Amino acid sequence: MITSIFSKSRPFNYILVTLLLVLCFFIYQMKETEWMNFGYDFAKKMGLLLVLTASLFVTNFVTKRNGLSKDSTFPFLFFFLFLIMFPAILNDINVIIANFFILLALRRLISLQSLLTPKEKIFDASLWIFIAALFQFWCVLYLVLIFISIIFHVSRDYRNWILPFIALFAVASIFVFSALAFDKTLITNVVENAQIDLKFDYFKNNFENLAISIYAALSALFFFALVFSLSNKPLILHASYKKILFSFLIGVIIFAISPHKSNNLLAYTFMPLAVMATSYVENADGKWIKESVVAIVVLAGFMSFFAQL
């Protein structure tokens, strides 16, 4: 039943998932007393909700526009379900904003396969990644994906290799001048976040541990399913799917090495995992397999959400 609803792109699907996101967001925010302050805090939370909603639509747009889904709304659904598995993300400003900029960068990099205006796309993607790095330093690792994309598509033009460094200079210059003029501690915050921390003792309760265990199992299933089925995909989409795989791995590395570690850092893996989950469900043999997988993800998402309230 669930697969029959989301296997098509209908306005109802977008409205349903968006309303569920809004509902979950409000339920989680009710835990905090400052939610009653209808001033700056209220405006900030509304801004976060808008960015989260935009992240859903960007994810779905990227998959549909680049042929990574069969005109379904599964990416929209899966991104939402992975998000609510870790409800603390709903209050993490830095992760939400950084992930949104990474989504914008992925949008440009995946569309690079069309070979239309490649220089603009490389520069834009680099710009978004460096801006994301201001909120979460290790997002800078997505530069690897830029160079991978250049190798896949436009490696012969040496100017394409220089564009990321031009974007770095532009963002760094504006950031440093702004920090020196308004708040020097911004530079200190970026430097502190540039550290590496490989400890995994951050769990506050068993429910967080359970949520990441379920997420890891689902990730392994969808990741290796795509790896082993990649040869069956249309040749024109191979580069795009490889970028999705690399993007997921980079997100995992960011989670593993970042200081101030929390499950929130897994947000960078939501978009590529949503694409991989969509690919798995759309190409699974047997309707009962599709229904079972989607039902498991739905149950895991909502159970994890309510368990961590």
Side-chain angles (χ1 to χ4, degrees):
M1 178 180 177
I2 302 177
T3 56
S4 62
I5 295 175
F6 289 93
S7 61
K8 298 295 182 182
S9 181
R10 303 183 181 96
F12 170 78
N13 298 350
Y14 297 110
I15 295 172
L16 174 62
V17 175
T18 301
L19 289 176
L20 288 173
L21 173 62
V22 172
L23 178 62
C24 291
F25 185 84
F26 272 78
I27 290 174
Y28 185 78
Q29 299 301 335
M30 287 175 66
K31 294 174 54 180
E32 302 190 1
T33 55
E34 65 264 24
W35 178 248
M36 301 305 295
N37 182 354
F38 287 89
Y40 172 75
D41 291 329
F42 180 81
K44 182 174 67 175
K45 292 179 187 299
M46 289 297 96
L48 290 180
L49 181 57
L50 286 175
V51 175
L52 286 170
T53 305
S55 298
L56 288 176
F57 280 95
V58 171
T59 297
N60 202 73
F61 174 81
V62 171
T63 53
K64 288 182 63 177
R65 183 66 177 269
N66 296 283
L68 299 177
S69 71
K70 299 177 180 179
D71 195 32
S72 69
T73 46
F74 284 122
F76 203 81
L77 172 67
F78 284 128
F79 189 100
F80 161 72
L81 293 172
F82 296 145
L83 173 64
I84 64 171
M85 277 189 189
F86 310 103
I89 295 175
L90 299 175
N91 255 353
D92 197 322
I93 297 175
N94 287 341
V95 168
I96 290 174
I97 295 177
N99 186 55
F100 180 69
F101 285 123
I102 293 300
L103 290 176
L104 295 179
L106 290 175
R107 170 179 169 269
R108 299 298 274 170
L109 291 177
I110 294 176
S111 67
L112 196 60
Q113 67 176 355
S114 68
L115 299 180
L116 297 174
T117 62
K119 291 179 176 59
E120 287 83 349
K121 292 177 180 178
I122 293 171
F123 180 80
D124 289 349
S126 303
L127 202 66
W128 295 134
I129 289 171
F130 285 122
I131 293 175
L134 298 179
F135 295 92
Q136 185 70 43
F137 176 80
W138 287 113
C139 286
V140 74
L141 292 178
Y142 279 97
L143 276 179
V144 175
L145 191 60
I146 288 181
F147 293 116
I148 289 173
S149 301
I150 292 174
I151 292 172
F152 282 162
H153 303 292
V154 287
S155 61
R156 294 183 179 181
D157 190 339
Y158 73 92
R159 291 172 293 183
N160 294 322
W161 298 91
I162 301 174
L163 288 171
F165 300 101
I166 298 176
L168 170 61
F169 178 77
V171 173
S173 299
I174 295 173
F175 173 72
V176 171
F177 286 134
S178 300
L180 292 176
F182 301 105
D183 189 355
K184 295 180 181 180
T185 60
L186 294 174
I187 299 176
T188 304
N189 292 337
V190 172
V191 173
E192 288 179 353
N193 288 325
Q195 301 176 22
I196 294 177
D197 184 359
L198 299 177
K199 295 180 181 178
F200 288 86
D201 56 355
Y202 62 89
F203 297 107
K204 297 178 182 177
N205 53 62
N206 291 332
F207 295 118
E208 285 190 3
N209 200 337
L210 179 61
I212 195 173
S213 299
I214 295 173
Y215 187 77
L218 292 172
S219 299
L221 170 64
F222 298 138
F223 180 85
F224 288 108
L226 180 57
V227 169
F228 292 122
S229 66
L230 187 59
S231 59
N232 298 325
K233 304 290 184 184
L235 187 60
I236 194 174
L237 295 179
H238 280 200
S240 295
Y241 277 114
K242 288 177 182 177
K243 292 175 199 174
I244 292 296
L245 293 172
F246 280 118
S247 175
F248 176 79
L249 293 176
I250 292 171
V252 172
I253 293 173
I254 291 173
F255 165 72
I257 69 175
S258 292
H260 314 299
K261 198 177 273 59
S262 69
N263 287 350
N264 299 0
L265 295 171
L266 289 169
Y268 306 112
T269 65
F270 291 169
M271 183 274 186
L273 191 61
V275 175
M276 290 187 277
T278 298
S279 174
Y280 182 88
V281 170
E282 289 183 341
N283 295 285
D285 294 327
K287 186 175 181 180
W288 70 271
I289 296 179
K290 299 181 180 181
E291 290 285 354
S292 299
V293 171
V294 176
I296 289 172
V297 179
V298 170
L299 289 174
F302 282 101
M303 288 178 62
S304 297
F305 175 78
F306 287 107
Q308 295 176 71
L309 290 179

